[in-house]
Amino acid sequence: MLEVRALKKEFQALSGQPVVAVEDFSFRVEAGQFVSIVGPSGCGKSTLLQCIAGLSPPTAGRVLLHGRAVTGPPEGLILLFQEYNKSLMAWRTVFKNVRFVLENPANMKRSEIDAETQRFIELAGLKGFESHYPWELSGGMQQRVAIARALARRPEVLLMDEPFGSLDALTRMELEDTLLRLWESLHATILFVTHDIEEAVYLSDRVCVLSGRPSRLLEEIAVKLERPRNQLSTREDPGFIQTRHRIFKLISKELAVP
């Protein structure tokens, strides 16, 4: 479904010298997969997502969606930013925020739009909060609204840029499980950037481990853990621990001081 071929991205520094953020990066995401990207802080994970989303043109290489070159934001692909609270419309209730992406009278009746909106609200664990405004919700609840709205659009690929990075540990685990339920229910394809190694292993089918800047793909690691997953039993599984250690060693080498 999604393919990145030899992607390179560089910027001009104030000194006038080019700064390479991502170099010679290639990988594929098949339909229905949950793939995570991890790497050292500042290695270019967010830059990579912006190139894949068509928001920032690569300096070299290509991004392909269904074999077609991505030259701008493509239909069927949504990027969910880390600062989710800034993407919600403060003057709209939870119901109307989610409903916004479905408001296309040519394709659906009003009653059908309302029913579909309610379905995604309930899938995201927001039942009972339909009439609340974003500023009346906790950070975790706001993120649920952002996820429900993104998935209600039925994207072919959902890109997520450290969506749980600012949340406390318990809220984070709740949202990880909510996201997995939505992903499994909707058969979505998700590319998920995170700095949390355990989160990447818990959620994913595959984990792409990046080097330090300029960012390259060090290794793709298949996560061979049964689904559905459980916050206690999955994290205690020997396979989970081995995979976590393997990724940690790869990243630790990148952070090692000569």
Side-chain angles (χ1 to χ4, degrees), residues 218-236:
L218 291 177
E219 191 173 338
E220 286 190 64
I221 298 174
V223 180
K224 299 177 181 178
L225 298 170
E226 292 184 1
R227 296 189 185 274
R229 293 178 182 169
N230 176 275
Q231 290 288 354
L232 292 177
S233 60
T234 298
R235 291 175 186 269
E236 292 171 348

Side-chain angles (χ1 to χ4, degrees), residues 24 39 48 79 94 97 100 102 113 124 154 177 181 196 212 221 228 254:
D24 195 27
L48 177 62
L79 172 58
V94 168
N97 261 283
F100 174 74
L102 297 169
I113 293 174
R154 294 300 187 104
D177 289 336
R181 286 196 300 271
D196 189 312
I221 298 174
E254 293 297 306

Side-chain angles (χ1 to χ4, degrees), residues 35-88:
V35 178
S36 287
I37 296 175
V38 299
S41 179
C43 73
K45 299 185 291 295
S46 295
T47 298
L48 177 62
L49 274 198
Q50 290 173 24
C51 290
I52 293 173
L55 297 175
S56 180
T59 306
R62 303 177 76 196
V63 178
L64 303 171
L65 182 63
H66 291 304
R68 299 186 299 274
V70 173
T71 57
E75 183 70 25
L77 188 149
I78 289 178
L79 172 58
L80 188 62
F81 292 97
Q82 183 177 3
E83 295 182 327
Y84 48 85
N85 56 334
K86 293 184 179 180
S87 73
L88 298 178

Side-chain angles (χ1 to χ4, degrees), residues 7-50:
L7 188 141
K8 178 180 181 179
K9 180 65 179 180
E10 66 180 30
F11 302 92
Q12 287 294 121
L14 291 176
S15 64
Q17 296 297 315
V19 176
V20 180
V22 181
E23 187 167 58
D24 195 27
F25 186 92
S26 300
F27 81 122
R28 296 167 61 99
V29 180
E30 303 298 337
Q33 285 190 326
F34 197 124
V35 178
S36 287
I37 296 175
V38 299
S41 179
C43 73
K45 299 185 291 295
S46 295
T47 298
L48 177 62
L49 274 198
Q50 290 173 24

